[in-house]
Amino acid sequence: MNPSYRQNQPGMWKKSGFTLLEVLMAVVIFAVIATIVYSAMNAAISRIGAIKDGDRVFAMGAGCLHRISTDLRSAYADPYPLFTPQNAEENPDPYAFVGQTDFVGGDSFSGLQFAAFAHLPVSTGSADPQKSAAALAQLRYFVEKSPEPDRGYVLRRGDRPFVWNADADQWDEDSAPVLCTHITEFALTYFDHKKNDRKTWDSSDDATDYATPAAVEIFFRIETDQGNYPFLTRVVLPAGREPLERVKSQ
């Protein structure tokens, strides 16, 4: 007996169940609803991933800005008459504030080296208590290609105290801690005491009148699969060496 038919009255059969058209319509409606629900869930999950990624990037970027700003606010340079241009020509100034442009992997980034009272013993890798306790250090910020694939460039902070043998102890770039990953831009702008801006700086050169910058603008960009995040701040150096011309006029 065909199960799609049932007996209604003696000797008579009546058709029951769903027609093929009704089944197809139900399948189409279910597919539409499932698609809508899946799209909504996928969008929510993607947004959660983007929020988590943004939180991580902003925390890393804010920490990086704080570290650079703290270092710059504690920058040191020999004042006059401890520093003289004649001595700088004969012997390189170990406390020189030098900002240059570095080319890495075909891209250009800012690089910076200066002295500051911001030594972090954890970055020296030295067990020497005297060396680890030194407060005045030579700091270096530089960008290099990330050793991990698909992570672009990384920003590193080199740190060595001024208790070293300059001939034997060179920069160990591999031990410099990584401050930021996924870097696509890192640009520093230097402002003199007349508020003129420069892309490079050398406090032992007459082009800057042997002064340290009055302020430094920090800009970098972090880019991930979820988006790109720019960071910008300007730091006024509370102490430093004034232009030689200004000192002579006083």
Side-chain angles (χ1 to χ4, degrees):
M1 180 181 293
N2 192 332
S4 63
Y5 292 85
R6 63 181 175 84
Q7 188 175 9
N8 188 35
Q9 296 179 357
M12 298 184 63
W13 295 91
K14 185 177 181 179
K15 185 178 179 180
S16 64
F18 297 101
T19 65
L20 179 60
L21 180 60
E22 291 173 334
V23 172
L24 290 176
M25 289 181 63
V27 170
V28 170
I29 293 173
F30 175 80
V32 171
I33 295 175
T35 301
I36 294 174
V37 172
Y38 174 79
S39 300
M41 291 182 61
N42 189 51
I45 293 173
S46 300
R47 182 163 297 183
I48 292 174
I51 292 174
K52 289 183 177 180
D53 183 75
D55 289 343
R56 180 188 64 81
V57 170
F58 277 114
M60 179 174 61
C64 184
L65 280 181
H66 176 72
R67 183 68 262 165
I68 302 175
S69 300
T70 300
D71 290 344
L72 287 172
R73 291 191 182 100
S74 63
Y76 172 82
D78 271 342
Y80 305 106
L82 292 178
F83 171 85
T84 62
Q86 292 78 14
N87 290 339
E89 294 176 0
E90 296 173 1
N91 302 306
D93 181 11
Y95 308 120
F97 191 106
V98 180
Q100 73 280 342
T101 300
D102 299 328
F103 292 91
V104 184
D107 297 313
S108 62
F109 301 93
S110 290
L112 177 61
Q113 181 172 305
F114 62 103
F117 289 100
H119 172 53
L120 298 178
V122 294
S123 66
T124 64
S126 172
D128 185 348
Q130 183 182 12
K131 186 173 182 179
S132 298
L136 185 61
Q138 191 177 58
L139 306 181
R140 183 184 175 204
Y141 283 93
F142 60 98
V143 173
E144 69 174 17
K145 196 73 175 177
S146 173
E148 302 180 26
D150 302 326
R151 298 195 71 177
Y153 298 94
V154 297
L155 176 64
R156 290 182 178 268
R157 177 188 184 272
D159 179 343
R160 62 178 184 178
F162 274 96
V163 184
W164 83 78
N165 182 342
D167 295 330
D169 190 3
Q170 301 298 321
W171 283 104
D172 184 4
E173 296 184 352
D174 293 335
S175 65
V178 173
L179 292 185
C180 284
T181 61
H182 298 89
I183 290 288
T184 57
E185 295 180 59
F186 180 65
L188 302 176
T189 304
Y190 311 96
F191 296 86
D192 62 20
H193 292 75
K194 296 181 180 179
K195 299 182 180 181
N196 298 316
D197 61 287
R198 301 170 57 95
K199 292 301 181 182
T200 60
W201 195 279
D202 188 348
S203 63
S204 60
D205 188 78
D206 59 357
T208 60
D209 203 14
Y210 307 102
T212 53
V216 179
E217 185 177 87
I218 307 163
F219 173 79
F220 59 89
R221 188 184 301 275
I222 299 175
E223 187 169 345
T224 67
D225 294 337
Q226 303 294 339
N228 67 82
Y229 308 86
F231 294 85
L232 174 68
T233 191
R234 185 176 297 185
V235 180
V236 176
L237 277 62
R241 188 166 58 235
E242 293 188 344
L244 182 59
E245 181 181 358
R246 175 182 294 187
V247 174
K248 288 181 178 179
S249 64
Q250 293 176 351

